[in-house]
Amino acid sequence: GSGAKPREGDSHLVRWGAGLSQLPDPALVQNVLVVLDLRHNKIREFTALNIPHLTGLQHLDLTGNHLTSIPENIHLMSEKLRALYLGRNRIEILPKEVGRLSSLVGLRLDHNKLWELPWELGHAVALEAIALEHNQLTSLPPEIALLSNLRILGLRGNPLIPASSSRTRDCAPVAAGEVKSMGGFGSDE
């Protein structure tokens, strides 16, 4: 891509910093959305009721809102979902169903309140980049090692505790030098 801002209309809906407190009414969206970019609003809820209206989505960006949770039926949203950006929210729990997003390539969860990750995340085999900086994570599930396409894992700013050798027997060790920088993908702080 040229890096150009997505077009408003047809399959793209972009509302940056518009003061929105909820996701737009699906009845107002005429077309199947491919990109929904609602960065830096005041959205508090992303509920199961939103999911049936987002079945064609490939890119969802809810960075910088006031979300505290992710709906458990998120895996029904789209088989095509490639990017899920939920950084800079107040999310404490990642539902295990995220592991069923088989096309997901990029997952941003930096600057949240996550204290653990579901082992099922290891089933999201298309993942290439995960931003987890500045959460409350003390450990990672060994199943992260199953993500053979994973190239970027951002962990800075977490109180990670080295796991005992018995917990890591199935997990490839990740030395500090092996964790690649998130570059433009991860947090900007």
Side-chain angles (χ1 to χ4, degrees):
S2 63
K5 187 174 168 183
R7 277 196 326 244
E8 198 47 62
D10 36 14
S11 61
H12 295 71
L13 181 60
V14 179
R15 294 280 186 275
W16 296 353
L20 298 178
S21 59
Q22 60 187 21
L23 269 73
D25 183 347
L28 301 177
V29 179
Q30 301 295 320
N31 303 295
V32 174
L33 285 177
V34 174
V35 173
L36 181 56
D37 189 341
L38 300 174
R39 279 181 269 181
H40 305 294
N41 280 286
K42 298 174 183 174
I43 298 169
R44 295 186 183 281
E45 284 193 313
F46 171 31
T47 69
L49 298 175
N50 299 124
I51 301 293
H53 305 287
L54 300 174
T55 54
L57 213 56
Q58 293 179 27
H59 182 107
L60 176 61
D61 193 340
L62 292 170
T63 301
N65 279 282
H66 302 295
L67 300 174
T68 56
S69 65
I70 302 168
E72 288 183 6
N73 67 339
I74 192 160
H75 64 286
L76 301 176
M77 185 160 49
S78 177
E79 294 176 5
K80 301 172 190 163
L81 189 67
R82 295 179 47 79
L84 181 59
Y85 295 168
L86 300 168
R88 298 185 180 277
N89 278 286
R90 300 169 186 165
I91 298 165
E92 296 182 20
I93 296 172
L94 187 64
K96 64 183 181 184
E97 290 79 8
V98 169
R100 293 170 66 182
L101 293 169
S102 59
S103 297
L104 195 63
V105 174
L107 178 62
R108 281 194 59 176
L109 290 161
D110 55 285
H111 293 86
N112 273 288
K113 298 178 185 248
L114 294 170
W115 51 276
E116 72 174 353
L117 297 175
W119 65 265
E120 292 88 350
L121 188 60
H123 291 300
V125 295
L127 272 171
E128 295 178 7
I130 307 175
L132 294 166
E133 296 94 344
H134 302 285
N135 277 284
Q136 306 302 317
L137 298 170
T138 56
S139 65
L140 297 176
E143 290 78 8
I144 292 286
L146 300 174
L147 299 173
S148 59
N149 293 312
L150 193 63
R151 301 288 173 262
I152 300 171
L153 178 61
L155 297 170
R156 188 180 67 240
N158 281 287
L160 290 169
I161 298 168
S164 69
S165 59
S166 64
R167 285 224 39 217
T168 58
R169 69 181 182 276
D170 299 323
C171 185
V174 178
E178 294 172 7
V179 177
K180 297 180 184 175
S181 167
M182 296 302 286
F185 174 79
S187 64
D188 54 9
E189 287 184 6

